[in-house]
Amino acid sequence: MKKLKVLLILALVVMANSVSAQSTFDKWPAIKEFHDVISATFHPAEEGNLAPIKARSEEMMTKAAALLTAPKPAEFKTRAIVEASEKLKLQSIGLNALIMGNGSNDSIVKELTEMHDVFHEIVGLCSESKK
């Protein structure tokens, strides 16, 4: 009987942790949509393939802007997350302008890398806000 109680308690703890561990992407669809674009453009750029970012810079700009306008959980409406999202939006506008103006590949990679860093900052802030 004691073993059964322990197993039930453990099962409840595991279930509670899996519910509370719902990912940022599940809770905030706009950040997942942005992630889909940045992952499909940043990683190829790391290897010297700039075609994806050159083709999708306008889409990235739209997805970055959506981080500020699309619904998000109250827990992600912190000042730090909003400020980082605003920074990401401005960076995406700058990157798109750079690409449309035929900026150098080095400049494009530099800007995209900075955007990638800010994206990870936002995801980290979201993790902190869930604690």
Side-chain angles (χ1 to χ4, degrees):
M1 185 67 161
K2 186 175 180 181
K3 286 184 180 182
L4 181 60
K5 285 182 184 178
V6 170
L7 286 175
L8 285 174
I9 290 171
L10 285 174
L12 287 172
V13 168
V14 167
M15 286 175 30
N17 282 337
S18 67
V19 170
S20 68
Q22 183 183 24
S23 82
T24 298
F25 294 162
D26 292 335
K27 290 182 173 186
W28 189 9
I31 197 80
K32 182 193 181 313
E33 291 173 12
F34 182 84
H35 174 260
D36 291 345
V37 177
I38 200 156
S39 67
T41 56
F42 175 72
H43 298 295
E46 285 182 302
E47 297 172 6
N49 179 4
L50 298 180
I53 188 55
K54 289 181 178 182
R56 298 182 75 179
S57 66
E58 190 171 333
E59 179 186 6
M60 176 143 1
M61 190 173 59
T62 301
K63 299 297 184 189
L67 295 177
L68 294 166
T69 59
K72 66 176 148 271
E75 67 196 85
F76 298 155
K77 294 181 181 179
T78 68
R79 181 179 177 143
I81 291 171
V82 170
E83 288 175 354
S85 297
E86 287 171 349
K87 181 177 181 179
L88 193 63
K89 177 185 172 187
L90 292 174
Q91 288 175 317
S92 70
I93 292 168
L95 177 61
N96 186 59
L98 184 64
I99 290 169
M100 294 296 117
N102 294 318
S104 73
N105 287 350
D106 288 343
S107 297
I108 293 168
V109 171
K110 180 180 182 285
E111 291 297 318
L112 183 58
T113 300
E114 289 175 8
M115 284 184 64
H116 185 258
D117 292 345
V118 173
F119 165 75
H120 278 286
E121 176 186 343
I122 293 168
V123 173
L125 289 167
C126 289
S127 295
E128 289 175 15
S129 75
K130 291 191 286 188
K131 290 180 182 177

